[in-house]
């Protein structure tokens, strides 16, 4: 199921609905959606239901400053089309209104059946990012109206803990490209915390729990605005003897979590993802991250939605993570390969870009990919390899000529987000894929590998600051010509790229 915004313009009687207790992201999306439809001569109503009206001071400001024409309703005349933004039709926090047709535009985990007209991208940090992408597909620039750009920017900002939990490249694109208005953002930013909320933070900290053995702390807060969780976890991490920490809050719609880490062996984004696994999502940066365990998904799995059961689940996961993850440092001693088998690369076509064909000056550029921004020297010696999953890594021309063989097949990019080259000096962007050609990795001597059954973090010899994460099912690989050189290959990439030598 997927949609383009232009699929929606055949309807004339349209209502846009935000979830109950709309947050900045929902407001921004509804507002931008209404703006788009207006361009197409459709006057859509923007509404939300539920018991309470918008009260939070930053949201009241947002509605005023940006002129968002939103109504709180208890009833609705059945429209021809109802568009749910930042939420899904039928969810517990979305007041049910009847409509002839339903559309869903959301970035949360899918919780039930979706209508045909739906676009859900759960890997995005905000729904504002999705609206931004959908508008781009229609050749509409959000910066045509500074209020729209400001709203979407603020929606992303608040949904990702001030951009801390951003991981998807599309989120970064919105953050970097939105021509927001500084005055409005500053004004909304500084009316974020109420006096009551400051007290909630204080109460929560009094009941902090600690693990001395695994040096972590856990705090539960009463239901409150999610950004307070971030404030508390920042503080908790400052405590001596706390290397990682988790702050969570059991809310109506789910359990919000905020995670921090100040040690090399735990990436906060990875821990958040682990804690939310199966029930929603988590992500962010190395030091700061956050996530959500959705109520619907927890209940579907037979977990009672009360504070006690949630506490038990959360604490168990935090303990298991710290207790059962193995940390390994490559390059110290030869790996025992008695359980490994010998594999060689399959002849699968992948992509490459000869940097000299792009026509950019010889200096460093940034390439934005699904895995993150990487910095690449684009000189005549540089070849950029695009792997089976669309992953990017630069190599030297000499190595390319030795290990790869160009082929004539046209190149088709397999990934979800097409990598772009960004000039950090002026922000100019260039597509990478149009320059890509096909090649095949030449066999080589192969690797020893075995499938792993637990979580392993390997600090490799070439990047001693960041570990490679292996989860059950992935492969641990050892170079045949250097048994100390051990690393991780993700299962899906391994199975498509390697075959056993029998
Ligand atoms: Mn959202």
């Amino acid at each position: 199921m997927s949609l383009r915004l232009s699929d929606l313009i055949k309807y004339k009687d349209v209502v846009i609905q935000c979830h109950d207790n709309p947050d900045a992201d929902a407001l921004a999306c509804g507002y931008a959606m209404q703006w788009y439809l207006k361009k197409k001569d459709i006057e859509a109503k923007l509404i939300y239901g539920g018991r309470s009206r918008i009260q939070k001071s930053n949201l009241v400001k947002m509605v005023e400053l940006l002129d968002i024409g939103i109504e709180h309703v208890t009833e609705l005349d059945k429209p021809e089309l109802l568009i749910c933004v930042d939420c899904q039709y039928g969810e517990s926090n979305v007041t049910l209104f009847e409509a002839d047709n339903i559309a869903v535009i959301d970035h949360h985990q899918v919780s039930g059946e979706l209508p045909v007209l739906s676009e859900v991208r759960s890997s995005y940090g905000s729904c504002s990012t999705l609206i931004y992408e959908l508008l781009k597909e229609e050749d509409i620039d959000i910066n045509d109206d500074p209020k729209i750009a400001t709203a979407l920017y603020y929606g992303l900002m608040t949904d990702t803990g001030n951009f801390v939990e951003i991981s998807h490249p599309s989120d970064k694109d919105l953050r970097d490209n939105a021509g927001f208005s500084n005055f409005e953002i500053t004004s909304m930013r500084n009316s974020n915390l109420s006096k009551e909320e400051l007290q909630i933070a204080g109460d929560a900290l009094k009941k902090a729990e600690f693990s001395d053995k695994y040096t972590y702390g856990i705090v539960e807060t009463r239901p409150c605005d999610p950004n307070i969780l971030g404030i508390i976890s920042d503080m908790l991490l400052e405590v001596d003897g706390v290397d990682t920490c988790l702050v969570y809050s059991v809310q109506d719609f789910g359990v919000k979590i905020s995670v921090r880490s100040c040690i090399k062996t735990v990436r906060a984004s990875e821990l958040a993802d682990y804690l939310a696994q199966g029930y929603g999502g988590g992500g962010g940066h190395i030091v700061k991250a956050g996530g959500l365990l959705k109520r619907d998904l927890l209940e579907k799995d037979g977990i009672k939605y009360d504070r006690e059961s949630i506490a038990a689940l959360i604490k168990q996961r935090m303990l298991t993570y710290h207790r059962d993850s193995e940390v390994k440092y490559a390059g110290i001693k030869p790996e025992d390969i008695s359980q490994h088998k010998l594999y060689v690369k399959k002849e699968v076509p992948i992509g490459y870009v000869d940097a000299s064909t792009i026509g950019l000056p010889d200096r460093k550029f940034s390439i934005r990919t699904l895995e993150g921004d990487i910095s690449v020297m684009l000189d005549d010696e540089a070849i950029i390899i695009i792997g089976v999953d669309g992953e990017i890594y630069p190599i030297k021309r000499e190595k390319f000529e030795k290990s790869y063989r160009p082929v004539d097949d046209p190149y088709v990019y397999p990934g979800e987000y097409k990598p772009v080259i960004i000039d950090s000096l002026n922000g100019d962007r260039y597509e990478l894929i149009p320059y890509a050609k096909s090649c095949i990795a030449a066999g080589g001597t192969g690797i020893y590998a075995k499938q792993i059954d637990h979580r392993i973090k390997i600090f490799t010899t070439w990047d001693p600051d960041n570990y490679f994460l292996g989860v059950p099912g992935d492969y641990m690989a050892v170079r045949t010509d250097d048994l100390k050189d051990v690393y991780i290959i993700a299962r899906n990439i391994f199975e498509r790229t390697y075959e056993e030598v029998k």
Side-chain angles (χ1 to χ4, degrees), residues 19 23 25-26 29 86 106-108 125-128 155 159:
H19 54 76
D23 57 7
D25 188 34
C29 293
D86 194 37
D106 190 22
H107 71 121
H108 295 95
S126 74
C127 192
S128 294
D159 251 29

Side-chain angles (χ1 to χ4, degrees), residues 471-491:
V471 298
D474 288 345
Y475 287 78
M476 187 161 85
V478 185
R479 281 176 60 139
T480 48
D481 56 354
D482 180 1
L483 296 185
K484 288 181 187 170
D485 193 349
V486 40
Y487 53 101
I488 293 285
I489 304 174
R491 178 185 191 161

